[in-house]
């Protein structure tokens, strides 16, 4: 479990640099984030969750954990044939991604035990080389598994929506807005992201006639 304490120097830094974000931080307070410490399992679960609902993904994850006796490992996944993986809920495309990931991990092309010593850019490059793992998935891995503190996923729709709400720029390009504001968040873009996501998760955004408004902060 990762705990973001609003009294920490990192959060104080963000509040000082970005008064609007400071209002959100004051509203939300401390944050607890569940971390996936098993890197291989985390990547498998990310593949599972691609392009399906949260409910469907959770169902498949439960099946996979049961089939793997509680621990998802390369050896256990490798031992499953295509028929077994399909019964668990994997599509043909996701099976191909799973095979590629497992092969790269086992042959040393993707040495998970060495990732902690690599830069964010190097990790992104290695992960996106795996079939079916794109930039967003790699960024989520850096955040929720590796706890890297200066990651911002510009393509994340939730972050874009929260930023538009926070800064009152309804018609602005969300990616461009995040890029502009992120200058104020260096080197703690991940922490800023956690608070932006909480805007969505805690349902602070309301819509009236299609326009995003924010009565709880102003």
């Amino acid at each position: 479990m990762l705990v973001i304490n609003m009294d920490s120097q990192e959060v104080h830094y963000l509040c000082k640099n970005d008064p609007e974000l400071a209002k959100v931080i004051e509203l939300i307070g401390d944050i607890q984030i569940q971390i996936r410490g098993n890197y291989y399992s985390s990547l498998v679960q990310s593949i599972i969750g691609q392009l399906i609902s949260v409910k469907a993904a959770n169902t498949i994850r439960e099946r996979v954990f049961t089939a793997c006796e509680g621990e998802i490992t390369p050896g256990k996944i490798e031992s499953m044939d295509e028929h077994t993986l399909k019964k668990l809920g994997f599509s043909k495309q996701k099976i191909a991604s799973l095979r590629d990931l497992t092969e790269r991990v086992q042959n040393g092309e993707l040495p998970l035990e060495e990732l902690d010593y690599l830069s964010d850019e190097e990790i992104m490059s290695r992960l996106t080389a795996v079939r079916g793992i794109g930039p967003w998935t790699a960024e989520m891995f850096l955040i929720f598994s590796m706890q890297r503190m200066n990651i911002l996923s510009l393509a994340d729709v939730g972050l874009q929506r929260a930023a538009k709400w926070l800064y009152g720029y309804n018609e602005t390009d969300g990616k461009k807005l995040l890029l502009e504001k992120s200058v104020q968040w260096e080197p703690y873009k991940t922490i800023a992201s956690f608070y932006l996501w909480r805007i969505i998760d805690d349902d602070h955004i309301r819509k009236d006639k299609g326009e995003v408004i924010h009565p709880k902060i102003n």
Side-chain angles (χ1 to χ4, degrees):
M1 183 73 70
L2 173 64
V3 178
I4 304 299
N5 191 310
M6 63 182 297
D7 292 326
S8 67
Q9 71 173 48
E10 294 86 355
V11 173
H12 278 299
Y13 175 89
L14 289 172
C15 291
K16 179 181 179 181
N17 278 20
D18 188 340
E20 293 301 311
L21 184 63
K23 297 176 185 179
V24 169
I25 291 171
E26 183 178 355
L27 179 70
I28 292 172
D30 299 345
I31 294 179
Q32 293 185 341
I33 301 99
Q34 190 66 45
I35 298 299
R36 293 177 180 173
N38 183 317
Y39 291 170
Y40 177 78
S41 176
S42 175
L43 291 169
V44 170
Q45 292 181 66
S46 294
I47 291 171
I48 290 172
Q50 292 171 353
L51 302 177
I52 59 176
S53 69
V54 173
K55 182 178 179 180
N58 287 338
T59 297
I60 296 172
R61 288 189 185 105
E62 289 177 7
R63 291 176 188 162
V64 175
F65 272 109
T66 299
C68 292
E69 300 177 324
E71 185 181 8
I72 300 175
T73 66
K76 290 176 181 178
I77 294 297
E78 184 189 34
S79 69
M80 297 180 188
D81 59 24
E82 185 168 343
H83 176 71
T84 299
L85 292 171
K86 284 183 177 179
K87 284 185 65 177
L88 291 174
F90 287 95
S91 65
K92 184 175 181 181
Q93 291 78 13
K94 289 185 179 181
I95 290 174
S97 297
L98 204 57
R99 295 298 192 208
D100 190 35
L101 169 65
T102 303
E103 182 179 351
R104 288 172 184 267
V105 170
Q106 290 188 316
N107 67 17
E109 193 172 342
L110 181 60
L112 298 180
E113 68 281 358
E114 295 180 10
L115 293 185
D116 289 332
Y117 306 102
L118 301 181
S119 68
D120 297 339
E121 292 74 19
E122 289 172 320
I123 294 168
M124 287 286 296
S125 177
R126 295 199 184 198
L127 291 180
T128 54
V130 178
R131 179 171 181 169
I133 294 182
W136 183 87
T137 300
E139 288 161 348
M140 295 306 105
F141 178 82
L142 284 166
I143 292 172
F144 292 102
S145 288
M146 301 200 70
Q147 303 179 53
R148 296 294 175 98
M149 286 293 106
N150 199 34
I151 305 298
L152 177 66
S153 182
L154 295 175
D156 188 276
V157 175
L159 291 179
Q160 292 181 21
R161 183 179 173 218
K164 288 181 181 182
W165 170 83
L166 176 59
Y167 301 105
Y169 298 142
N170 296 332
E171 305 304 323
T172 302
D173 177 81
K175 185 180 293 187
K176 181 180 179 181
L177 177 60
L178 284 173
L179 187 61
E180 290 176 354
K181 294 299 180 179
S182 67
V183 176
Q184 299 171 271
W185 307 335
E186 291 272 1
Y188 305 118
K189 291 186 288 188
T190 296
I191 296 176
S193 297
F194 287 143
Y195 279 100
L196 291 176
W197 275 317
R198 280 293 296 270
I199 290 173
I200 303 294
D201 294 343
D202 292 354
D203 201 25
H204 291 297
I205 295 180
R206 296 290 185 272
K207 288 191 175 181
D208 180 22
K209 298 180 181 179
E211 294 184 0
V212 178
I213 58 176
H214 38 97
K216 292 190 178 182
I217 286 188
N218 285 345

